[in-house]
Amino acid sequence: MRGIIFAILAGACITLQGVANARISQDIGTWQAATVTQFTGFILALVILLFARDGRKQGFKEVKPLYLFGGAFAAIIIFSEVTAIQNIGVTLSISALLIAQLFLTFVIDSRGWFGVIKQKMRLPQFIGIGLMIAGVIILKL
């Protein structure tokens, strides 16, 4: 249940962040909005880290260097999401974003990429993705 609650919280925050960034970018520019967002996110994460202290500093040596650049994707995410929201609106942008996330996680799970346990995808998973795509098409009409 805890995982579901955090997933819902993350989904809500993605939407709120996208809308806020789209508004900020109208005043200062898209890359500037991405910079502000990344900076404020860094500050919040640092403050939480200072209070939580639940990690191990030595763990950085065990992480593959490629994975340490995962946060850099956020700049691309922010730019892309802001641009999409400005061009096609919030609902369609978030719908397309979620389908893209679901499709890529589907591929990662089915191939076992990045060390995740390989999952067998069956007809219900294909139908689910198809229904989501159909939903976005209906939203666009």
Side-chain angles (χ1 to χ4, degrees):
M1 185 64 179
R2 187 174 180 204
I4 296 292
I5 291 169
F6 278 109
I8 291 169
L9 177 63
C13 287
I14 286 170
T15 300
L16 293 172
Q17 179 189 31
V19 173
N21 287 338
R23 181 61 190 104
I24 293 169
S25 72
Q26 290 174 347
D27 294 335
I28 64 173
T30 304
W31 284 112
Q32 291 84 344
T35 302
V36 168
T37 299
Q38 293 280 67
F39 182 70
T40 57
F42 169 76
I43 297 298
L44 179 60
L46 182 62
V47 168
I48 292 170
L49 173 67
L50 292 174
F51 285 105
R53 297 187 184 270
D54 61 347
R56 300 175 322 177
K57 292 177 187 170
Q58 307 88 325
F60 279 108
K61 295 175 185 172
E62 299 170 18
V63 177
K64 290 182 181 180
L66 175 64
Y67 297 157
L68 292 174
F69 289 97
F73 287 120
I76 297 166
I77 292 165
I78 293 166
F79 177 82
S80 300
E81 185 179 27
V82 166
T83 304
I85 288 171
Q86 290 173 342
N87 286 286
I88 60 175
V90 177
T91 303
L92 194 55
S93 294
I94 298 301
S95 298
L97 181 146
L98 293 174
I99 288 171
Q101 281 184 304
L102 186 59
F103 180 76
L104 186 55
T105 56
F106 179 87
V107 171
I108 291 169
D109 273 348
S110 67
R111 303 269 193 249
W113 291 349
F114 304 105
V116 302
I117 297 171
K118 203 173 192 179
Q119 303 287 329
K120 184 172 171 109
M121 299 300 162
R122 295 182 210 96
L123 185 60
Q125 286 81 26
F126 288 107
I127 291 172
I129 289 176
L131 287 173
M132 288 185 72
I133 292 169
V136 170
I137 292 168
I138 291 169
L139 276 172
K140 181 67 177 155
L141 296 177

